[in-house]
């Protein structure tokens, strides 16, 4: 199977993730969309690794997974505490950081 | 022996320090300390004079190097004193007349509770003036010059509780500052031209320097001289300076201060000799001032202001003579010395009259005082005869020589300058006769003041009359003593140089003409004031009289031209500052502020809008990368 198809899939997943980040208000969904974008990148890295015949891309993919795992921990903790204080998981409600 | 030179200055300086720092515990003896130290300085001066007389005429210059003041490579300023015949003359005049004025002030300021401070200032004045005439370079001279300015400010404004005295002191100081600017510019020019400002090297280098530069230096020196010596156009402070106590007026007008300008010109003779254009300006300034001061002196009813006009006029004679170059330097200094005697005597006499008349200064309220104050009358009268140039008295010898020298300048200039000097002599005779008659002759015109106190004119105490008598002797004999065998000429010639003038008419004719105008001037005054009673209230007078009463509109001129002009300049500068400079600054701030206000809206707090800008930025970067690749 032509590896370029995996790249198309990765682009499609990244676009879906980006759109989700931009248009959804629910923090959990935004968060999942971010994960989707990260995994789309991982898919692209692995595909490129396959196409170029070296392991660089696969190594980067492992790094990305580690960072994503750490990010999930911090991110979920923030969302939970946000929900506890405001009884809402909408990112638009948390808009106090402005002048 | 030359180590004494520094002590000349140190004595009055010590007096000033002790009296001004000593506090009230010195109140009882302060005036005697001041007088003693001034007298001590005179004794040192006399010792040095005796020493100098013992040497050959061209080996009389001695210098004393005290210390290096500003030793920088290429810029050497030393505290070095130079005592030659010229400075010796000044030292004797300053300390001699100065000591007499100190002695006089003991009596005159007896009832003033700040007498100790007054003597401190007097000593400071002497010290500064001695430093001025003893300095061996222009920078040190400048220190003395400023010191004189400071001391005159303190003394003119001594009765500072009177607003008029405080204003007069400020006026004198400010007008002097204008002249000081001239001196400082002259020193800077000298440094750039010659690389030094010590007398010896500067005068030696004059011959190899362009005339333009020398003219500039000479004109700046003249400006300085105009400020200190109250010459047109910087003359306006002198009349107001009469607000100070009378001994101060005597000191300023006879021994110190106004003589400094003449000293500066004569001392810088080498520079002026090489700049004929500047010399011409000097003579014009002198001639204009001698007439200006004389005319002002004719109209004043205040005895001190009449004498102030007279000083201005007499200094004008000296400046005129100094501007004539080597034919006039010696006579300028000779007139300065004789003037020092008779003007100090006249002022002390005026002070004695005021002392007896409850500080009344209006001559229209005097009259017939000769019966009440015989000593003052005689000494004042001798001073009067000396200043108008009565044959045989001091003023006759010195003034006559200046008039001759003015004619000897030659050509049309000589006739104009000589004519002005002759006219000045006539006016001098007129206004001094007027002062004399209004004060000492005629009916008594004083009346009780508003409290019903009638003045009781009386002779002043011994401490005041003795200096007047001594000065009267000087007024009578100094001129003859100097002129006999041209003694003064030979004394001063090694320093200033001399060149015999050849007037277009013989000297006897000039002398004759001087005597004729003297008689005419005195005669007119006698007819106007001696033959008929003097009105107690001043008549309206002609246009010229009214202008002269206002000092020939000098203050009005200064006000309209300088004050108004300065105000307009300042206002326009302030306007420029507010509109242009502030406009640029405020405009920049406002535009930055407005832009920031708009940019601030981007920070709306919504995480999703930040995400949009992140994605947008990333998209732009990717697009740019691709674009670069394609190109």
């Amino acid at each position: 199977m032509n590896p370029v198809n995996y790249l198309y899939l990765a682009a499609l997943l990244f676009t879906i993730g980006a759109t989700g980040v931009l248009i959804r208000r629910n923090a959990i969904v935004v968060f999942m969309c971010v994960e989707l974008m990260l995994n789309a990148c991982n898919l692209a890295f692995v595909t490129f690794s396959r196409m170029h015949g070296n392991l660089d891309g696969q190594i980067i993919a492992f790094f990305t997974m580690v960072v994503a795992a750490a990010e999930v921990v911090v991110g979920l903790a923030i969302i939970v505490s946000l929900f506890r204080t405001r009884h809402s998981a909408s990112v638009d409600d948390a808009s106090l950081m402005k002048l | 022996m030359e180590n004494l030179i520094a002590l000349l200055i140190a004595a009055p300086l010590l007096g000033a320090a002790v009296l001004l720092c000593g506090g009230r515990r010195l109140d009882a003896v302060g005036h005697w300390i001041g007088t003693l130290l001034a007298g001590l300085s005179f004794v040192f001066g006399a010792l040095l004079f005796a020493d100098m007389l013992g040497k050959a005429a061209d080996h009389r210059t001695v210098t004393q190097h005290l210390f290096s003041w500003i030793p920088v490579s290429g810029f050497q300023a030393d505290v070095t004193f130079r005592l030659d015949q010229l400075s010796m003359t000044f030292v004797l005049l300053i300390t001699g007349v100065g000591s007499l004025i100190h002695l006089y002030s003991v009596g005159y300021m007896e009832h003033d509770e700040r007498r100790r401070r007054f003597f401190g200032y007097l000593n400071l004045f002497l010290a500064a003036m001695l430093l001025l005439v003893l300095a061996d370079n222009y920078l040190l001279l400048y220190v003395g010059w400023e010191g004189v300015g400071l001391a005159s400010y303190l003394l003119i404004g001594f009765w500072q509780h009177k607003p008029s005295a405080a204003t007069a002191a400020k006026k004198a100081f400010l007008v002097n500052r204008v002249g000081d600017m001239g001196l400082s510019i002259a020193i800077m020019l000298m440094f750039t031209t010659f690389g030094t400002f010590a007398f010896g090297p500067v005068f030696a280098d004059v011959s190899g320097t362009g005339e333009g530069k020398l003219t500039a230096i000479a004109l700046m020196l003249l400006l300085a001289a105009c400020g200190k010596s109250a010459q047109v156009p910087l003359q306006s402070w002198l009349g107001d300076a009469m607000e100070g106590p009378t001994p101060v007026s005597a000191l300023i007008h006879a021994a110190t201060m106004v003589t400094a300008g003449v000293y500066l010109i004569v001392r810088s003779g080498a520079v002026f000799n090489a700049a004929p254009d500047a010399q011409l300006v000097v003579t014009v300034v002198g001639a204009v001032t001698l007439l200006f001061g004389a005319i002002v002196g004719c109209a004043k009813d205040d005895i001190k202001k009449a004498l102030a006009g007279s000083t201005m006029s007499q200094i004008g004679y000296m400046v005129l003579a100094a501007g004539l170059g080597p034919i006039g330097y010696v006579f300028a200094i000779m007139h300065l010395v004789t003037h020092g005697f008779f003007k100090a005597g006249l002022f002390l006499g005026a002070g004695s009259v005021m002392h007896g008349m409850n500080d009344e200064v209006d001559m229209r309220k005097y009259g017939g005082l000769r019966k009440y104050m015989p000593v003052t009358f005689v000494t004042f009268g001798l001073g009067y005869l000396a200043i108008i140039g009565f044959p045989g008295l001091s003023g006759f010898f010195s003034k006559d020589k200046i008039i001759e020298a003015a004619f000897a300048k030659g050509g049309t200039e000589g006739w104009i300058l000589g004519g002005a000097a002759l006219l000045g002599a006539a006016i001098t005779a007129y206004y001094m006769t007027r002062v004399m008659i209004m004060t000492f002759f005629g009916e008594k015109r004083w009346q009780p003041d508003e409290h019903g106190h009638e003045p009781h004119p009386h002779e002043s105490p011994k401490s005041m009359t003795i200096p007047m008598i001594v000065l009267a002797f000087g007024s009578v004999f100094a001129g003859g003593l100097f002129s006999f065998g041209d003694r003064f000429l030979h004394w001063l010639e090694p320093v200033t140089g001399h060149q015999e003038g050849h007037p277009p008419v013989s000297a006897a004719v000039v002398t004759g003409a001087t005597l004729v105008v003297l008689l005419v001037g005195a005669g007119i005054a006698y007819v106007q004031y001696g033959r008929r009673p003097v009105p107690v209230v001043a008549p309206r007078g002609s246009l010229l009289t009214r202008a002269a009463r206002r000092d020939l509109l000098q203050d009005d001129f200064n006000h309209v031209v300088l004050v108004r002009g300065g105000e307009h300049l300042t206002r326009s500068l302030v306007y420029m500052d507010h509109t242009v400079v502030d406009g640029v600054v405020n405009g920049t701030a406002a535009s930055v502020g407005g832009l920031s206000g708009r940019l601030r809206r981007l920070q709306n707090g919504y995480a999703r809008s930040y995400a949009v800008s992140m994605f947008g930025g990333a998209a732009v970067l990717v697009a740019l990368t691709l674009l670069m690749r394609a190109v």
Side-chain angles (χ1 to χ4, degrees), chain B residues 9-24:
Chain B
I9 302 171
L13 198 61
L14 175 77
V18 167
L19 292 178
L20 293 178
C21 305
R24 290 186 178 279

Side-chain angles (χ1 to χ4, degrees), chain B residues 12 68 144 244 287 314 337 350 382 430 509 511 546 609:
Chain B
S68 273
Q314 299 301 313
V337 176
L382 290 172
Y430 171 80
V509 175
T511 310
R546 274 176 282 151
S609 81

Side-chain angles (χ1 to χ4, degrees), chain A residues 22-25 37 92 94-95 97-99, chain B residues 600 603-608 610-612 615:
Chain A
L22 291 182
I23 64 173
R24 294 305 297 264
R25 289 193 190 133
M37 286 158 71
D92 283 0
S95 65
M97 287 289 281
K98 62 181 176 190
L99 284 167
Chain B
R600 190 175 70 167
Q603 302 284 326
N604 55 12
Y606 292 111
R608 293 186 302 150
Y610 298 157
V612 168
F615 283 124

